[in-house]
Structure formats: structure tokens, C-alpha cells
Amino acid sequence: MPAEEKSWGNGRLERDLELTDSDFSRIRQLIYQRAGIVLAEHKREMVYSRLAKRLRHHGLTRFADYLARLERQPDAREWEAFTNALTTNLTAFFREAHHFPLLADHIRMRPGKVRIWCAAASTGEEPYSIAMTLLEAMGQQASQAEVVATDIDTDALARARAGIYPLEQVCKLEESRVKRFFQRGKGPHQGFARIRPDVAGMIDFQPLNLLAPQWPVTGPFDAIFCRNTMIYFDKTTQSRILERFSPLLKPDGLLFAGHSESFSYITEAFQLRGQTVYTRKPAR
């Protein structure tokens, strides 16, 4: 048991850091204002666990002191660490696999430069899966395609740019994809695999907060992936983001959502085309 957590003998833990109800409420408010993330009441233990590392880093014992420090310095770098700590990164290569054949059919033989935006890139598995799909569907023409990959979590983006993953994760893919798109590590890198340069070179990783008044991305895009992200926002925030996606898509562009997300009753800008796949509604 970590030194900072001692058993009371009744199953409860005595902790060295003080997180009051008021502190937790303030954290929920701040992360909502900063990133649009809605933290439920049952996330209290997660909040304690993730932010405790930041308090100990600064030598603090009270969450109230940490939050006061943040609020005194609205432009401090610590806000980035605060946001990163409370961001959930659950992803995998070719997650929700039915989307990728649809993407392949959509971009195959399209005129002009193909551009895809992955709006929640996390640690990179999703944008790399998109790039692999483009290479498989377009052949040599894929070298002219572009995948813009953004995320609010700068720690996750750093891992995405590195493109290095445990071999046990990579080997869940088909052997043909592993051989074509990855380099197996040797020596000190044994047990890991790295994305090949031709795949990595297709992707432009950028930090982006979907709540920011301006986005550092420009359309038009053939498709936008924003999967399993909207579930962390309330309906008002979801609607606002979707309305901003619409003009960034080509008229026949696709918007890919997560398996537990439905946009049909949130905005009139999109219409359902298939399983968690949407298109822009025609202008009236």
C-alpha cells in the first residue's frame, strides 16, 4: 500500500491530501469551463487519484491550495497538466472497425487532395488507423493525402507523435498490416513497434481544445472523426461543436461518431447515413 494511503482497519483509506466537497465541486466547474468535460459525482475517486500527483509535485497537501494557485494564474502551464490529468484516453487501432471500410469506399478515387480530421487523436491509434486505411485504399495517391490529428491532451499527443506501441498491442492487428505499417524494435526497444515513416508522415498532430473560440484547422475535409468524445460534454456543448463541424466538411463529407453517441436529436446540421455515420444536410 502506498505510503500516502493508510488503512483505518475498516476498509476505508486515510489519505494525506484533503479533498473537500467544495474542492470537488470547484474542480468539476473548472474542467467544464476549460474543456467542456462534465464530471459526474461518481468520478470523485478518479479526480483524487489523478490530481494527487500534481499536488505532490508542488508539495501541497490541500486541493484548495492547488485550485487557488491555478485560479491566480489563468495562463499558467499548470492548467495544461490539470486538463491532461482529467482527460480520458481510451483508444485502440481500428476501434469500431466497421467505420474503416466505409471510409475506404468514401475516399477511393475521389478527385483532389483527400483530407481527414481526427478531432480526438488521443495517443495516436485512431489517426494512424485512418492513415493505414488511406494507404490501403488509395495506393500511391495516399502520399498526397493529409490527416489532421488534434487533441486537448498534450501528453497523449506527445505519445502519438512518437508512434511507439507495445508489441502485444500491435500484434492484435492482421499480420499483413503489422509487416507493412510497423517496424519491430530490437535491442533496448525489443517488445515495442514503431509506426513506419510513410504512415507517420501523413499526419499533422496539433493541440486543440474543441471549446476554444478559434480552431487551428481549416477545411474542407472529406471526413471528420469525433468518436467517443461527445459523451463527455453536455447537450449544449455537443450542439455547438457539431454546428462548427458542418462548414468544415465537404458537401458530401462524412462525420464519424462513437458507438454510444447519437447526433440526430442534437443538431439539424447532419443526417444519419449509416451506423454512427452522418452527412451534412443539403442547404435549403
Side-chain angles (χ1 to χ4, degrees):
M1 182 177 294
E4 63 270 12
E5 294 185 351
K6 300 179 181 179
S7 175
W8 280 356
N10 58 4
R12 296 173 60 193
L13 294 175
E14 180 184 8
R15 288 173 163 166
D16 62 325
L17 306 178
E18 180 185 352
L19 175 64
T20 67
D21 291 344
S22 177
D23 296 335
F24 181 54
S25 178
R26 189 65 183 140
I27 290 167
R28 296 176 68 192
Q29 182 179 1
L30 290 174
I31 195 62
Y32 177 77
Q33 292 172 348
R34 203 80 180 183
I37 296 172
V38 177
L39 286 176
E41 286 283 352
H42 70 272
K43 296 292 186 179
R44 184 173 182 137
E45 292 301 311
M46 181 206 77
V47 167
Y48 181 97
S49 175
R50 294 186 181 185
L51 288 183
K53 298 175 184 178
R54 301 310 307 164
L55 270 70
R56 296 189 182 104
H57 174 78
H58 292 291
L60 301 173
T61 59
R62 299 196 319 148
F63 279 80
D65 295 335
Y66 175 72
L67 298 175
R69 180 180 292 193
L70 278 177
E71 292 177 295
R72 284 196 303 268
Q73 305 175 61
D75 297 320
R77 287 289 301 273
E78 184 60 27
W79 278 106
E80 185 176 299
F82 172 80
T83 304
N84 289 352
L86 297 178
T87 302
T88 299
N89 295 298
L90 179 62
T91 186
F93 290 108
F94 292 94
R95 186 184 184 194
E96 303 189 40
H98 66 282
H99 282 162
F100 295 95
L102 288 173
L103 175 65
D105 290 342
H106 181 63
I107 53 88
R108 195 175 282 117
M109 305 304 292
R110 285 178 70 82
K113 182 177 180 177
V114 171
R115 301 182 71 236
I116 313 293
W117 178 18
C118 175
S122 187
T123 49
E125 289 89 336
E126 183 169 291
Y128 287 130
S129 298
I130 294 169
M132 292 180 220
T133 300
L134 298 185
L135 285 163
E136 291 172 342
M138 300 174 65
Q140 293 182 346
Q141 289 183 322
S143 62
Q144 304 302 314
E146 179 186 15
V147 180
V148 178
T150 65
D151 202 280
I152 193 173
D153 188 333
T154 53
D155 291 338
L157 279 179
R159 293 170 59 190
R161 288 191 186 96
I164 299 172
Y165 302 94
L167 195 57
E168 61 186 22
Q169 177 185 357
V170 172
C171 285
K172 293 178 182 178
L173 299 173
E174 296 90 336
E175 182 62 24
S176 59
R177 280 177 169 161
V178 176
K179 290 181 178 179
R180 181 176 178 183
F181 300 124
F182 293 87
Q183 298 170 322
R184 292 176 185 251
K186 299 179 180 179
H189 303 294
Q190 189 172 2
F192 292 88
R194 185 171 191 166
I195 294 287
R196 288 189 178 274
D198 59 326
V199 184
M202 297 172 61
I203 303 177
D204 177 21
F205 289 103
Q206 301 179 39
L208 183 144
N209 183 346
L210 289 171
L211 262 65
Q214 292 185 326
W215 291 342
V217 296
T218 56
F221 292 102
D222 296 273
I224 294 176
F225 280 69
C226 189
R227 306 191 303 173
N228 306 301
T229 300
M230 293 291 191
I231 55 175
Y232 299 106
F233 302 144
D234 59 21
K235 291 292 191 291
T236 300
T237 303
Q238 291 175 6
S239 176
R240 188 162 62 245
I241 292 171
L242 290 169
E243 293 293 335
R244 294 177 69 184
F245 279 159
S246 180
L248 294 178
L249 274 171
K250 294 179 181 179
D252 59 346
L254 300 180
L255 174 64
F256 291 88
H259 68 277
S260 60
E261 297 169 324
S262 176
F263 301 156
S264 298
Y265 302 103
I266 298 174
T267 176
E268 295 183 357
F270 293 94
Q271 60 189 16
L272 190 64
R273 171 169 168 172
Q275 185 181 355
T276 58
V277 181
Y278 297 81
T279 57
R280 284 176 56 183
K281 284 187 177 180
R284 295 179 180 177

